[in-house]
Amino acid sequence: MQKFVKEIGLFLLLLASIMVLGILMPVTPRASKSLLFAKVKKDELLKETASPRIIFVGGSNLSFGLNSNIIKDSLKLNPVNTAIHASIGLRFMLDNTLQYVKMDDIIVVVPEYVQFYKKTNECAPELLRAILDVNKRDIKFLKQEQFLSFLLEIPKYVFSKFKLKEYFFYTESDIYSVNSFNEFGDASAHWTMIKQNFLPFRKSHEEFNYSIFQSLIDFEIDVKGRGASMLVSFPGLQDISFENNIEKISQVETEYKKAGFKVLGFPARYKIADSLTFNTPYHLNKNGVDLRTILFIEDFQKQCQSVSY
């Protein structure tokens, strides 16, 4: 029995050593090309972009949905598109952005609708990699209730570092790459590509998460405390997926209004024809990007008629 316990102890020690080694090992060559590493450049944009600034916060509905050059020319504001991946989670996006907010910044938060229907304790693999691969100091933004999920993701992450394909015979994605973004943070590599086939979103049966929504309320308070302002708007979404989830979408709009947020537009205004999408219901082709950008500019200018920034 004593020998068995000793062997178990040695096995657990070996396993723990492998976990620690895997976490401390440098990021693999394949992972280093991931779009998650765009966060490094986008954080630099948040630090260095001169005022007057308009900062966009959300998932890939924004990175695949804005032409910031048009925004800069039309609004005479310097845009920073911080969007990377929806699975990072809204709370992480808000916390990461807040540290860079300056006086007179205009923050436009455009979450995917699913952000308000996620589990509070969820830590997706993309969030884990954004922390362990890109910037380990960002673990400070992980919420207490996410730590168990974070820990459960670590073994898969660690063992991926011992796969040959992480070091050899890999190719950099032409769409989801650290190099797929332009100088404003827009994902522009797909602008010359043809539409790809994909399935629309099915009807969601998840419950609205008021805890995550409270994070947005708290973020606005903190933004105002820094002498900046916050607006919210709605993502460009494929028309079929929109109709499949119209009740969930309407609840998001209702909660925005109840919270007293400055709201740009309304959900159906950003319902996008399937022909203007690219490879997911939230990702738009170049014509869709330009249309959605013009709609945003019109809604922003309308808001400015009643509010001085």
Side-chain angles (χ1 to χ4, degrees):
M1 182 67 178
Q2 189 175 17
K3 181 181 177 182
F4 174 75
V5 172
K6 183 178 180 181
E7 290 176 347
I8 291 294
L10 289 173
F11 172 77
L12 293 176
L13 180 61
L14 175 62
L15 185 61
S17 299
I18 292 173
M19 293 297 110
V20 172
L21 175 63
I23 291 172
L24 296 179
M25 284 174 62
V27 62
T28 67
R30 188 188 72 83
S32 70
K33 302 298 184 182
S34 162
L35 84 170
L36 295 176
F37 274 84
K39 182 179 182 295
V40 176
K41 177 62 180 297
K42 293 186 180 218
D43 284 353
E44 284 298 316
L45 287 174
L46 285 168
K47 291 178 186 176
E48 304 298 337
T49 300
S51 298
R53 313 195 307 173
I54 182 166
I55 298 170
F56 295 92
V57 182
S60 61
N61 87 84
L62 285 174
S63 57
F64 281 77
L66 287 181
N67 186 335
S68 292
N69 195 52
I70 296 177
I71 292 171
K72 182 176 183 178
D73 289 343
S74 299
L75 301 181
K76 309 305 178 187
L77 297 169
N78 295 321
V80 179
N81 190 340
T82 70
I84 300 174
H85 198 297
S87 292
I88 293 174
L90 180 61
R91 294 183 296 176
F92 183 89
M93 298 173 196
L94 298 175
D95 288 342
N96 183 75
T97 302
L98 182 63
Q99 62 187 326
Y100 302 112
V101 172
K102 302 176 182 178
M103 178 80 73
D104 296 327
D105 281 348
I106 301 170
I107 319 298
V108 183
V109 184
V110 190
E112 289 77 10
Y113 296 110
V114 71
Q115 296 289 356
F116 298 115
Y117 294 93
K118 288 185 174 184
K119 300 290 189 296
T120 304
N121 61 356
E122 176 185 308
C123 176
E126 292 81 7
L127 175 54
L128 178 138
R129 284 187 172 273
I131 294 171
L132 295 184
D133 278 351
V134 182
N135 189 347
K136 291 182 175 62
R137 287 174 296 180
D138 285 344
I139 197 169
K140 64 181 179 288
F141 298 135
L142 200 66
K143 305 303 181 185
Q144 183 176 355
E145 61 267 26
Q146 292 178 296
F147 268 99
L148 178 58
S149 178
F150 179 83
L151 293 174
L152 292 175
E153 287 289 339
I154 287 179
K156 182 178 179 181
Y157 164 80
V158 166
F159 288 118
S160 74
K161 288 192 170 182
F162 297 97
K163 294 180 179 179
L164 285 178
K165 69 178 183 180
E166 292 289 319
Y167 302 88
F168 307 103
F169 315 117
Y170 65 88
T171 57
E172 182 178 348
S173 171
D174 54 357
I175 301 172
Y176 301 119
S177 162
V178 64
N179 296 309
S180 297
F181 301 86
N182 64 19
E183 68 270 28
F184 303 108
D186 305 332
S188 57
H190 72 291
W191 283 0
T192 58
M193 299 179 185
I194 62 173
K195 175 180 167 62
Q196 300 180 5
N197 293 324
F198 62 88
L199 295 175
F201 294 142
R202 293 180 293 181
K203 182 176 181 179
S204 171
H205 297 285
E206 301 296 328
E207 295 297 320
F208 192 85
N209 190 322
Y210 287 96
S211 176
I212 291 177
F213 190 80
Q214 183 63 44
S215 298
L216 186 55
I217 295 173
D218 295 340
F219 177 75
E220 183 184 38
I221 294 170
D222 291 335
V223 163
K224 288 181 176 179
R226 291 171 178 250
S229 57
M230 186 193 87
L231 304 97
V232 297
S233 191
F234 305 97
L237 178 61
Q238 176 206 39
D239 49 10
I240 305 168
S241 299
F242 185 98
E243 295 299 335
N244 287 345
N245 291 279
I246 194 163
E247 292 180 4
K248 302 296 184 183
I249 291 169
S250 295
Q251 184 171 3
V252 172
E253 181 183 25
T254 297
E255 297 299 335
Y256 280 173
K257 292 179 178 178
K258 284 170 59 178
F261 293 148
K262 295 183 179 69
V263 183
L264 302 180
F266 51 92
R269 180 161 164 80
Y270 293 92
K271 181 171 66 172
I272 305 296
D274 178 71
S275 61
L276 297 178
T277 59
F278 175 59
N279 67 345
T280 82
Y282 279 124
H283 294 177
L284 311 183
N285 64 23
K286 181 58 164 57
N287 289 336
V289 167
D290 289 347
L291 171 63
R292 192 270 179 92
T293 300
I294 291 169
L295 292 175
F296 165 78
I297 291 170
E298 290 174 353
D299 288 339
F300 183 86
Q301 290 174 330
K302 183 178 179 180
Q303 177 72 25
C304 285
Q305 291 175 2
S306 57
V307 179
S308 177
Y309 288 101

